[in-house]
Amino acid sequence: MNSLKISNSLTRSKDLFKPINPKNITMYVCGPTVYADPHVGNARSLIAFDLLYRVLIKLYGQKNITYVRNITDVDDKIIETSKTKGIPIDKITSNVLKNFHRNTKDLNCLEPTSEPKATDHIKEMIEMINSLIKKKLAYINNGHVYFLISEFKNYGKLSNKQLDDLISGSRVEISKLKKNPLDFILWKPALADEPGWDSPWGRGRPGWHLECSVMSEKYLGKIFDIHGGGLDLLFPHHENEIAQSCANNSSDILANYWVHNGFLNMNKEKMSKSLGNIETISEALDKYNGQVIRLALLSAHYKQPLDWSDNLLEQSKATLEKWYELYDDVESEIDNSEIFSCLLDDLNTPKYFAKLHELYNVASKGDKIRRIEFNNACRLIGIFNQKKDVLVRQKQDASNVDKKYILQKIEERIKARKTGNFKLADRIREELSKNGIVIKDKDNKTEWEYK
Ligand code: AMP
Ligand code: ZN
């Protein structure tokens, strides 16, 4: 069988993937915090791990893989959003989750085997905290429970940092209640108007890191194959997951392979809600087909940073439209192992795309076998999931919207000129020009054309 190599943050090298049990490959990926509609940065992570899942399926068969992606539905950010917007928490989380599911479908991501929610596992989280307290790996202070990192000798192993560097170099929550600044919260008290659960330490809620330790163990076991997430989760989230689980289980390992995707940037900075430089997946889907977005997000290697831009999307759109010229409705078994080997090399999508272009060129000259291989290779990365006429129809719809918008703008400009508002008239002309449309006034009429 072909073997997969994958970059492992734990060993800091590209490792040969050796599953614990090839009949049950286990993968856990940190899922969304459902307080705001997911943005295309989140989509990058979703698609990177969807690709890994597809490669594993091809190697081992879908029935032999358990892929768990959690839903964080209790969190400070959710409570804050509820308070500022005056919307009940359940309503926020259920709405965002609905949109998240719609988005993942539009991006053609396969459903994970299970998608556990944090709020469905509070009992197990309380049990785990109790166990850590009993083993003197956690302490209670004023309704709070903290993990005692001094009791875990491997702390910092994943992020490859000394404790002092971690304290000075990261956003570590300062609190007088802690023994060590790096001790992290397992349980915290809830205010009267906040969601809370009864516990031996009073009414409260769990810390974020705990849910992933509890749910990965419940669904995958104490040690599993792959743990994934964006690079921002490596520290402290993943380091803390390892600390809690390994300390509690007296084990050295939580997952054998830790895989992290790089950031999607916008204006040279990580796309994130807190910076405000986001485009939601739904906003992007209003302008582009899900396959175009998927292709754009796969265009760089998953570990590398990627800039989100109109140019990137337009290029992906043009590529997809070109590739669709060779789209065939029928699926076939014929495969091209040379192209698949690019994915086996740490999901090297840029190389895969280069080979796809070559395959396209040969296939477009009439090579039937190559054409089948090309179709299969597109399907393997999650494109070509819609029939050709769906794509063509969407293109026509989009150009009708364009025309409606252009005519409306021209109308507005005529009115502005009639009322002597030439500034506004000029602004409308500029706006149209920016969108690639030139207008000409001729014989009391305004004509337009694409640049
Ligand atoms: P969150 O909902 O913020 O917990 O994030 C869900 C997933 O998206 C996590 O794996 C994050 O690491 C990932 N993520 C968030 N922002 C970005 C970004 N700009 N680029 C790539 N991945 C991201
Ligand atoms: Zn997690």
Side-chain angles (χ1 to χ4, degrees):
M1 188 191 282
N2 291 323
S3 41
L4 168 69
K5 282 199 189 122
I6 192 86
S7 280
N8 187 353
S9 305
L10 195 62
T11 57
R12 281 164 279 285
S13 61
K14 198 153 76 173
D15 293 344
L16 185 64
F17 177 64
K18 288 191 208 132
I20 300 165
N21 173 6
K23 290 278 164 218
N24 183 22
I25 314 267
T26 41
M27 174 160 86
Y28 186 93
V29 176
C30 294
T33 307
V34 283
Y35 74 109
D37 284 348
H39 54 71
V40 277
N42 302 132
R44 185 170 193 205
S45 187
L46 279 169
I47 288 171
F49 290 101
D50 181 66
L51 182 65
L52 178 54
Y53 184 38
R54 285 171 189 266
V55 170
L56 292 171
I57 288 174
K58 188 130 184 84
L59 289 174
Y60 299 95
Q62 189 152 13
K63 68 174 193 330
N64 296 321
I65 303 164
T66 311
Y67 169 26
V68 177
R69 188 180 63 211
N70 69 303
I71 304 287
T72 302
D73 60 349
V74 53
D75 177 83
D76 290 355
K77 281 185 271 189
I78 302 174
I79 297 169
E80 233 175 81
T81 308
S82 161
K83 281 184 182 165
T84 48
K85 291 198 170 163
I87 305 173
I89 286 184
D90 313 359
K91 199 146 189 203
I92 294 179
T93 55
S94 64
N95 270 342
V96 173
L97 192 57
K98 211 163 64 202
N99 292 344
F100 172 77
H101 282 145
R102 201 179 312 126
N103 291 162
T104 51
K105 225 175 178 167
D106 284 340
L107 295 172
N108 196 26
C109 291
L110 301 174
E111 280 180 30
T113 320
S114 49
E115 206 178 42
K117 284 185 190 164
T119 52
D120 290 336
H121 296 81
I122 304 287
K123 188 175 128 265
E124 289 95 328
M125 290 193 232
I126 292 175
E127 279 165 14
M128 183 162 173
I129 300 174
N130 261 330
S131 163
L132 288 166
I133 294 173
K134 253 194 225 143
K135 293 176 187 166
K136 303 210 176 343
L137 297 164
Y139 56 93
I140 309 159
N141 196 347
N142 204 12
H144 296 68
V145 186
Y146 288 100
F147 182 83
L148 188 59
I149 72 124
S150 56
E151 286 302 304
F152 184 63
K153 64 175 189 332
N154 279 338
Y155 198 78
K157 193 172 161 194
L158 178 70
S159 41
N160 195 24
K161 289 213 166 101
Q162 302 297 320
L163 296 192
D164 289 347
D165 295 342
L166 286 175
I167 295 170
S168 59
S170 311
R171 283 173 294 138
V172 172
E173 189 207 346
I174 310 289
S175 167
K176 279 190 207 132
L177 300 172
K178 296 191 207 174
K179 293 183 180 168
N180 180 314
L182 287 173
D183 290 349
F184 57 88
I185 200 97
L186 298 169
W187 189 264
K188 63 166 122 186
L191 300 174
D193 63 343
E194 291 177 349
W197 290 264
D198 290 330
S199 81
W201 323 285
R203 190 176 162 275
R205 63 178 182 274
W208 168 40
H209 315 302
L210 193 65
E211 69 179 83
C212 291
S213 282
V214 162
M215 294 192 279
S216 62
E217 181 166 336
K218 175 166 172 181
Y219 293 90
L220 302 175
K222 288 187 189 340
I223 301 178
F224 51 96
D225 292 310
I226 300 172
H227 193 311
L231 196 57
D232 51 338
L233 302 187
L234 193 146
F235 184 85
H237 184 53
H238 291 162
E239 194 77 63
N240 292 353
E241 277 185 43
I242 292 175
Q244 297 160 153
S245 296
C246 290
N248 196 39
N249 297 332
S250 308
S251 140
D252 280 338
I253 286 282
L254 172 58
N256 285 322
Y257 301 86
W258 288 79
V259 183
H260 292 101
N261 65 275
F263 294 141
L264 182 73
N265 295 330
M266 181 121 117
N267 308 328
K268 304 261 179 294
E269 278 184 294
K270 178 196 165 200
M271 184 179 285
S272 74
K273 187 102 177 45
S274 55
L275 287 174
N277 58 344
I278 59 161
E279 173 161 31
T280 64
I281 301 174
S282 300
E283 282 166 350
L285 283 166
D286 282 343
K287 293 186 279 178
Y288 293 94
N289 181 285
Q291 293 184 66
V292 173
I293 298 169
R294 192 173 170 102
L295 210 55
L297 289 171
L298 288 173
S299 63
H301 186 261
Y302 75 94
K303 277 174 72 77
Q304 297 302 320
L306 174 67
D307 277 317
W308 192 242
S309 67
D310 289 344
N311 193 20
L312 173 71
L313 282 158
E314 285 301 322
Q315 264 180 21
S316 299
K317 186 172 171 229
T319 302
L320 188 75
E321 281 169 4
K322 184 175 119 178
W323 286 354
Y324 253 91
E325 285 162 19
L326 295 189
Y327 172 88
D328 285 326
D329 226 347
V330 280
E331 293 189 32
S332 128
E333 291 292 304
I334 298 174
D335 267 340
N336 180 317
S337 59
E338 193 195 340
I339 192 166
F340 185 50
S341 67
C342 304
L343 295 183
L344 294 177
D345 181 16
D346 201 19
L347 308 180
N348 191 338
T349 49
K351 208 160 153 200
Y352 192 85
F353 281 16
K355 296 260 177 217
L356 259 181
H357 281 294
E358 284 172 19
L359 210 49
Y360 171 88
N361 286 339
V362 186
S364 61
K365 292 195 183 98
D367 185 328
K368 287 203 177 103
I369 299 289
R370 291 282 149 150
R371 182 166 174 154
I372 296 170
E373 286 176 0
F374 174 75
N375 269 267
N376 287 347
C378 287
R379 289 198 170 92
L380 180 64
I381 53 167
I383 59 169
F384 275 24
N385 57 315
Q386 289 168 308
K387 289 188 192 311
K388 197 170 181 171
D389 55 328
V390 175
L391 216 71
V392 173
R393 212 177 325 120
Q394 280 176 353
K395 208 175 153 190
Q396 282 165 351
D397 287 351
S399 67
N400 285 340
V401 171
D402 275 358
K403 281 185 195 137
K404 226 165 111 188
Y405 154 83
I406 296 162
L407 294 177
Q408 184 198 332
K409 286 284 151 194
I410 289 176
E411 243 351 272
E412 281 175 27
R413 183 169 168 272
I414 292 171
K415 264 193 207 150
R417 279 160 64 97
K418 272 192 188 149
T419 54
N421 192 346
F422 295 105
K423 254 192 185 158
L424 177 62
D426 284 349
R427 225 182 302 135
I428 294 170
R429 180 198 283 272
E430 267 167 41
E431 187 187 320
L432 285 168
S433 167
K434 266 190 209 149
N435 286 310
I437 290 125
V438 244
I439 47 175
K440 281 183 202 135
D441 299 312
K442 215 168 125 193
D443 306 332
N444 280 338
K445 270 203 305 204
T446 304
E447 291 175 353
W448 67 273
E449 60 186 25
Y450 290 113
K451 268 191 209 170

